[in-house]
Amino acid sequence: MSNVTEIRWHGRGGQGAKTAALLLADVAFATGKYVQGFPEYGPERMGAPITAYNRISDSVIRVHSNIYEPEFVVVVDESLLETVDVTSGLKEDGAILINTEKSKEELVPSLRGYKGKVYTIDAKKVSLATLGKYFPNTPLLAAIVKVADIMDEETFLKEMKNSFNHKFASKPEVIDGNMKALEMALKEVQ
């Protein structure tokens, strides 16, 4: 399965890592890809570390396990860098995407010797500017689509709009803010 993109998400309960992984699976599926999107829970409580996963492929995915050697890692909460080995198994020809206000250089000491690409986005800034509240998962979803080159931006935005129209049919005001968050995040990721 050499054409499989594997992504591991690290977040805390309530931050939307699971939701982002499931949304990414939905959007990739809508474009004709084979997908998996699933969470793994530890203590099921708000704020506890959680892990979620994505597999995206052009062919049938026959493996059904957690992802131990991902190409990409998304860190929703930068405090996890100090408590969880987020780079464990991360391929050096892949990348890590971290939600932070810090520069890449400031983060390197927390990455346990990882030598691959490091991308950052201030999802809090994007979220507050577009949604008025802190929801890091929407900006991080757009950022990982760009970093991992999962699909072109236009297709991604079109499919996300369709998904939001379905999910938030009774709350159309939510759709506009989320679309703005996605668009801003595509420009902000570094």
Side-chain angles (χ1 to χ4, degrees):
M1 287 195 329
S2 61
N3 69 341
V4 177
T5 299
E6 293 183 320
I7 302 167
R8 188 174 64 215
W9 298 74
H10 291 278
R12 293 189 181 279
Q15 292 180 324
K18 171 187 154 189
T19 300
L22 296 177
L23 274 171
L24 179 55
D26 285 348
V27 171
F29 180 77
T31 66
K33 302 280 188 186
Y34 292 88
V35 300
Q36 291 178 352
F38 55 98
E40 172 187 32
Y41 296 100
E44 295 186 27
R45 61 181 170 79
M46 199 73 131
I50 70 118
T51 309
Y53 305 92
N54 284 110
R55 283 190 181 94
I56 302 168
S57 178
D58 293 325
S59 57
V60 175
I61 302 170
R62 299 204 185 280
V63 64
H64 298 281
S65 68
N66 291 348
I67 296 171
Y68 301 103
E69 295 182 347
E71 289 174 85
F72 301 97
V73 165
V74 180
V75 180
V76 181
D77 185 323
E78 97 179 80
S79 72
L80 292 171
L81 295 176
E82 304 304 323
T83 59
V84 175
D85 185 3
V86 298
T87 60
S88 175
L90 178 57
K91 295 177 181 174
E92 293 203 358
D93 60 348
I96 187 168
L97 170 65
I98 303 167
N99 172 21
T100 184
E101 297 174 348
K102 295 178 181 172
S103 71
K104 295 172 194 176
E105 295 72 30
E106 291 176 274
L107 298 169
V108 169
S110 300
L111 298 181
R112 302 179 190 215
Y114 177 69
K115 305 241 184 294
K117 294 178 185 168
V118 178
Y119 292 88
T120 63
I121 185 167
D122 186 346
K124 184 174 187 176
K125 178 180 101 175
V126 172
S127 181
L128 291 175
T130 57
L131 300 166
K133 292 183 179 176
Y134 183 40
F135 296 111
N137 60 339
T138 300
L140 286 163
L141 173 59
I144 194 59
V145 165
K146 184 170 185 171
V147 166
D149 195 25
I150 293 169
M151 65 186 75
D152 69 79
E153 292 178 17
E154 187 177 311
T155 301
F156 170 67
L157 292 171
K158 180 181 135 242
E159 294 302 334
M160 284 305 298
K161 177 99 172 168
N162 291 341
S163 180
F164 287 153
N165 283 336
H166 176 73
K167 288 181 186 348
F168 300 121
S170 63
K171 299 179 185 176
E173 68 280 1
V174 174
I175 298 168
D176 190 45
N178 275 286
M179 290 305 298
K180 286 180 181 169
L182 294 172
E183 291 165 5
M184 185 175 175
L186 289 169
K187 294 175 186 155
E188 293 281 321
V189 67
Q190 301 177 19

